[in-house]
Amino acid sequence: MSGGSRVERDAHGRRTVERDRYGAQAAALTWARDGRLADATLRIPDGSWLRVAPRAGHDPRWGASDVVCRGDVALTHFAAVEWAAVDAIPPLAEPARLPPGSGTAILNLVAALADDQRRGPLAYRGPYPTEQLFLALLESFRWADAGEAVEDPLARFMAGGLTWVPAPHARDWAPLGVCVQSRGRVEKAVWRGRSYCRPDWQGVERRAPHRLRDDGGRVVGSLWALDGALEDHLVLAADGAVLEARAPAPPDDPARPLAPATAAGLVAIVVAASAAPLGAALRAEAGDLAFEWAPLAGDLAALDGARARLSLRLLRALAARLTAAESRVERVRLGFAALAEAAHALADGLRARAQARLAAAAPAAQAEALAAERRVGDAAAAAREIGVAVETLLEDAAQLSQ
């Protein structure tokens, strides 16, 4: 037994098969006679499989690479891992090319083998120490503080000063199609492409529109905004057994355009929270979109072709909270919170499109973007856009409640 999973091992004590609580395979590893890992297959949340081919590729930035395949198609690669003696956390070349949950599955295998070998803390050795990578690492490792207080572990990680202790999780594929991730408690559940996460990870707040919370001995997965559940989708027992899965239904309201000022403020938040080289591409992508309030089923926001759609449930929840607010300060705070949560829900999709736009640009344009820095006055201009957006959003929500 390891991390809650049933693990089969060979004569040398190396893990060869991981199974979930229902007996289904979660991973399979083949070891060569010389002690190297020859092949690994990993099950990801949607139930499909990835294959890791050790040292099957090369990257000019770090050399020998392990290749990630789905079927016969190579998707991307990461710096070759010394699987028999894990000594570092590898950089991944193109995370966006992987199906959801794939990066976490690979990192969890690194953590599981390092834990078996009692190795660590481990450092991340590579470029791009991003917030997305930091959050992924929290699911399979625990950041090490070496006895000192770390007020901002994300900033420490991005500066290259954080190391990680292996703490792998277990995953179970429940009969109702829910993939449940546990590590002492249920930490995450994936269902119908949505990831429901705990908001607290090792003292780090993780903002997500789909959240897990404890409720009377059960664990409930909900669409979450403005400090409350907009609708409940999953009900789990404390041990992760799925008790109920409720398919969310869209409201009957017709779609309506988002005020341009609200859209501009939303985009300003995304740009401010993104790397400077993506700024121009983000604004270009947003300029090609029609923003609207829409009857979404189970989500706060969605990118649908040339439309950026925000949930009417969020607007209605804001309207209800404004009615109960006792002061102007509280109403403005609610407006900022609603705009920020909508921006956060759209941000990953917008960044992916902006990255693709930048990758397709001419080399000169790419070089110009990569050299971009935030200019003096950018923050003030963004603050003005966001302030106008909040006021416009409050007016729209107030009209909705009349």
Side-chain angles (χ1 to χ4, degrees):
M1 187 75 67
S2 175
S5 297
R6 290 180 289 186
V7 177
E8 299 173 14
R9 301 184 184 275
D10 64 14
H12 300 282
R14 299 170 300 200
R15 66 176 59 208
T16 56
V17 175
E18 297 176 15
R19 298 187 183 276
D20 72 3
R21 67 187 294 173
Y22 305 101
Q25 280 196 8
L29 289 74
T30 302
W31 298 90
R33 290 184 178 181
D34 64 1
R36 291 179 178 269
L37 181 67
D39 186 80
T41 52
L42 306 172
R43 193 177 182 188
I44 60 176
D46 68 4
S48 64
W49 289 81
L50 295 180
R51 174 173 170 260
V52 176
R55 297 184 176 273
H58 183 274
D59 189 291
R61 292 167 292 183
W62 51 70
S65 298
D66 297 346
V67 177
V68 185
C69 306
R70 195 175 198 180
D72 296 328
V73 179
L75 300 178
T76 187
H77 60 274
F78 55 92
V81 174
E82 294 295 339
W83 295 103
V86 178
D87 60 357
I89 297 167
L92 180 63
E94 298 174 276
R97 296 193 63 186
L98 291 174
S102 301
T104 300
I106 293 168
L107 288 172
N108 202 57
L109 178 62
V110 174
L113 290 176
D115 192 46
D116 286 350
Q117 299 157 10
R118 298 186 178 181
R119 300 182 69 90
L122 305 177
Y124 169 69
R125 296 178 182 168
Y128 322 127
T130 62
E131 180 179 3
Q132 288 77 15
L133 176 58
F134 176 79
L135 295 175
L137 286 169
L138 289 176
E139 298 189 19
S140 301
F141 296 83
R142 300 191 186 281
W143 54 270
D145 60 7
E148 63 175 302
V150 179
E151 294 184 2
D152 191 343
L154 172 58
R156 178 75 65 88
F157 171 67
M158 297 179 74
L162 208 62
T163 57
W164 300 85
V165 176
H169 60 257
R171 287 172 295 158
D172 300 306
W173 283 262
L176 292 178
V178 184
C179 179
V180 180
Q181 184 174 309
S182 305
R183 188 173 48 175
R185 62 173 184 172
V186 176
E187 290 188 325
K188 184 177 179 180
V190 181
W191 182 53
R192 296 190 173 188
R194 300 183 180 98
S195 294
Y196 300 79
C197 298
R198 295 280 187 176
D200 56 313
W201 294 72
Q202 301 175 56
V204 176
E205 181 181 1
R206 187 166 183 172
R207 292 170 48 191
H210 300 98
R211 181 175 295 193
L212 292 179
R213 72 183 192 278
D214 294 318
D215 184 5
R218 306 176 304 166
V219 180
V220 180
S222 309
L223 177 65
W224 191 271
L226 299 176
D227 299 322
L230 301 187
E231 56 187 21
D232 294 335
H233 299 162
L234 295 174
V235 181
L236 314 178
D239 67 355
V242 180
L243 304 177
E244 190 175 355
R246 308 166 183 167
D252 296 330
D253 309 68
R256 64 181 73 183
L258 202 71
T262 304
L266 185 150
V267 173
I269 292 175
V270 176
V271 171
S274 303
L278 282 180
L282 281 167
R283 290 194 178 278
E285 282 295 321
D288 293 338
L289 295 172
F291 287 78
E292 65 180 23
W293 295 107
L296 298 182
D299 292 297
L300 283 188
L303 286 177
D304 181 10
R307 293 182 298 172
R309 314 184 79 200
L310 305 182
S311 173
L312 276 164
R313 278 196 172 94
L314 174 61
L315 186 61
R316 290 196 176 280
L318 175 60
R321 294 289 299 275
L322 290 175
T323 300
E326 297 181 351
S327 68
R328 161 74 177 170
V329 171
E330 176 64 10
R331 287 191 288 274
V332 171
R333 187 195 70 80
L334 286 167
F336 271 109
L339 189 68
E341 291 185 0
H344 181 75
L346 273 179
D348 284 347
L350 277 174
R351 288 191 193 106
R353 291 191 178 193
Q355 288 167 350
R357 177 184 285 258
L358 190 57
Q366 292 184 13
E368 182 180 354
L370 291 173
E373 297 181 358
R374 300 199 190 280
R375 297 169 299 179
V376 176
D378 283 353
R384 287 192 295 271
E385 283 186 308
I386 294 168
V388 173
V390 168
E391 293 294 344
T392 307
L393 179 58
L394 292 176
E395 292 172 5
D396 289 346
Q399 291 176 1
L400 191 67
S401 63
Q402 292 177 354

